[in-house]
Amino acid sequence: MKVAVLIPCYNEEITIGKVIDDFKRVMPEADIYVYDNNSKDKTSEIALEHGAIVKKEYRQGKGNVVRSMFRDIDADYYIMVDGDDTYPAEFAHKLLDPLIREEADMTIGDRLSNGTYYNENKRNFHDFGNNMVRWLINKLFKSNIKDIMTGYRGFNREFVKAMPVLSARFEIETEMSIHALDKKFLIKEVAIDYRDRPEGSESKLNTFSDGFKVLKTIFMLFKDYKPLLFFNIWTVFFLVVGLLVGVPVLVEFADTRYITKVPSAILAVGLVLLSMNTFACGVILDTVVKQQRFNYELYLNDLRDKYKK
């Protein structure tokens, strides 16, 4: 059984040595990979000194790092953790065990259930953003995931090799969660402790700009994964507005047999036609997505057969 610990890094010289040592202590059998994403400090040098396998990713952004990790590294099981020492290595086996027992394809390190995240995290807007993203995804995909944005996760080989990473930056956690939900991968959450960054270590997240990117990702993935529901919402919106604009025109015509509100009539007809077109787009794209899901299942079957051999 081959286990790989994946650590994406950008300017983590203060913490990376401890993170590597902690995982070597609790998982001595694992290969530890540090992917340096154009760090301007001594992250790579320190990682090498502590015995990690160091690789470079020159395209900036965590999503780009994860894409390269998933493509390059071959293992049976993977543990992904940030290099900022906020996630204790002692929980790695709790993330790994459900994968080995085939109870999960992806395990999620849930920072929120133990309450340590709210005690340790000093960025209140992050709490608000996490809660909003969690609510949106759970509503859209009828799930009950407690921690969508955590960077501490475990994967089996099938999930890693079948995960199409499209996001470039910190939206990657959201993308992985939605992909797993849509493709019916087994997900299991494991309650973990969380600790804030040590003094001198700075977060790379920008609450507002990165939060906007995450919301944009949810919006786009909602359109891609559930087009019928997405376009039906717009269908109802255009239809309701069209009726609101058009009803006075119809009332006037019923009373006088004449239309004086010509602009309103044109707008109402345009909105109703737009509503019909939007509904047709949703039906067509829903058919395309169902065919894509069918092909994806066949791809997973081929992937399983490949690794069994």
Side-chain angles (χ1 to χ4, degrees):
M1 183 180 71
K2 186 177 180 181
V3 179
V5 177
L6 313 180
I7 311 176
C9 278
Y10 174 63
N11 292 344
E12 301 289 5
E13 66 177 6
I14 293 175
T15 54
I16 188 59
K18 182 178 182 300
V19 173
I20 294 169
D21 290 343
D22 287 348
F23 275 91
K24 288 178 71 175
R25 173 171 48 82
V26 301
M27 303 187 79
E29 75 283 2
D31 294 325
I32 299 178
Y33 294 85
V34 171
Y35 269 61
D36 185 358
N37 194 206
N38 301 314
S39 294
K40 298 175 178 62
D41 59 11
K42 296 181 179 179
T43 295
S44 292
E45 292 89 334
I46 294 172
L48 283 170
E49 290 172 3
H50 286 261
I53 303 168
V54 178
K55 295 180 178 290
K56 299 282 188 178
E57 173 52 58
Y58 296 102
R59 292 166 295 185
Q60 197 63 42
K62 187 176 181 179
N64 290 321
V65 176
V66 172
R67 182 186 298 110
S68 293
M69 286 177 161
F70 284 6
R71 285 178 180 175
D72 298 346
I73 299 171
D74 189 36
D76 298 305
Y77 303 101
Y78 304 77
I79 299 293
M80 187 174 75
V81 65
D82 293 339
D84 55 10
D85 195 33
T86 56
Y87 299 107
E90 287 73 18
F91 290 90
H93 280 290
K94 291 186 177 181
L95 291 171
L96 182 63
D97 289 345
L99 302 173
I100 296 173
R101 295 195 300 266
E102 298 184 355
E103 295 174 358
D105 299 298
M106 177 175 73
T107 51
I108 295 175
D110 171 18
R111 306 163 293 175
L112 307 181
S113 294
N114 284 348
T116 52
Y117 181 79
Y118 299 108
N119 296 330
E120 292 286 327
N121 179 46
K122 306 300 189 298
R123 301 174 292 276
N124 292 328
F125 277 110
H126 282 204
D127 295 344
F128 173 77
N130 284 337
N131 291 332
M132 182 170 65
V133 169
R134 177 180 61 183
W135 181 84
L136 278 172
I137 291 178
N138 283 335
K139 283 294 183 183
L140 292 175
F141 291 88
K142 296 181 175 60
S143 59
N144 190 30
I145 298 178
K146 299 180 180 66
D147 192 354
I148 296 288
M149 307 295 291
T150 179
Y152 202 7
R153 297 172 185 250
F155 315 99
N156 61 18
R157 183 185 351 218
E158 181 176 303
F159 182 89
V160 165
K161 297 306 180 184
M163 170 72 201
V165 179
L166 304 177
S167 300
R169 297 186 180 274
F170 286 101
E171 316 93 277
I172 180 60
E173 282 91 359
T174 303
E175 183 182 357
M176 286 191 292
S177 299
I178 292 177
H179 175 76
L181 290 169
D182 182 72
K183 296 301 186 292
K184 296 180 174 57
F185 282 104
L186 293 172
I187 303 171
K188 185 167 185 177
E189 290 191 282
V190 176
I192 62 168
D193 291 338
Y194 176 88
R195 53 190 176 224
D196 206 9
R197 284 173 170 268
E199 188 175 351
S201 175
E202 296 182 358
S203 174
K204 315 306 181 299
L205 287 171
N206 182 293
T207 301
F208 296 102
S209 65
D210 288 321
F212 174 77
K213 290 172 186 173
V214 169
L215 292 176
K216 179 183 175 183
T217 299
I218 294 174
F219 181 84
M220 297 305 293
L221 292 177
F222 177 34
K223 171 183 67 69
D224 294 339
Y225 286 124
K226 292 184 175 290
L228 186 60
L229 177 59
F230 178 86
F231 283 99
N232 276 352
I233 292 172
W234 290 105
T235 296
V236 172
F237 173 77
F238 291 131
L239 181 61
V240 169
V241 175
L243 291 175
L244 289 174
V245 173
V247 165
V249 177
L250 294 175
V251 171
E252 180 190 41
F253 180 76
D255 291 340
T256 66
R257 296 296 172 181
Y258 192 76
I259 295 176
T260 60
K261 302 175 181 178
V262 176
S264 294
I266 295 173
L267 178 60
V269 171
L271 288 169
V272 172
L273 290 176
L274 183 59
S275 172
M276 295 170 62
N277 286 335
T278 305
F279 177 73
C281 288
V283 172
I284 294 169
L285 291 175
D286 184 63
T287 303
V288 173
V289 168
K290 286 181 178 177
Q291 183 61 43
Q292 189 270 340
R293 288 196 183 109
F294 176 80
N295 293 334
Y296 188 84
E297 289 297 321
L298 295 179
Y299 169 71
L300 286 181
N301 291 337
D302 291 340
L303 196 63
R304 291 189 190 105
D305 292 340
K306 172 186 173 182
Y307 287 119
K308 283 179 181 178
K309 294 176 183 179

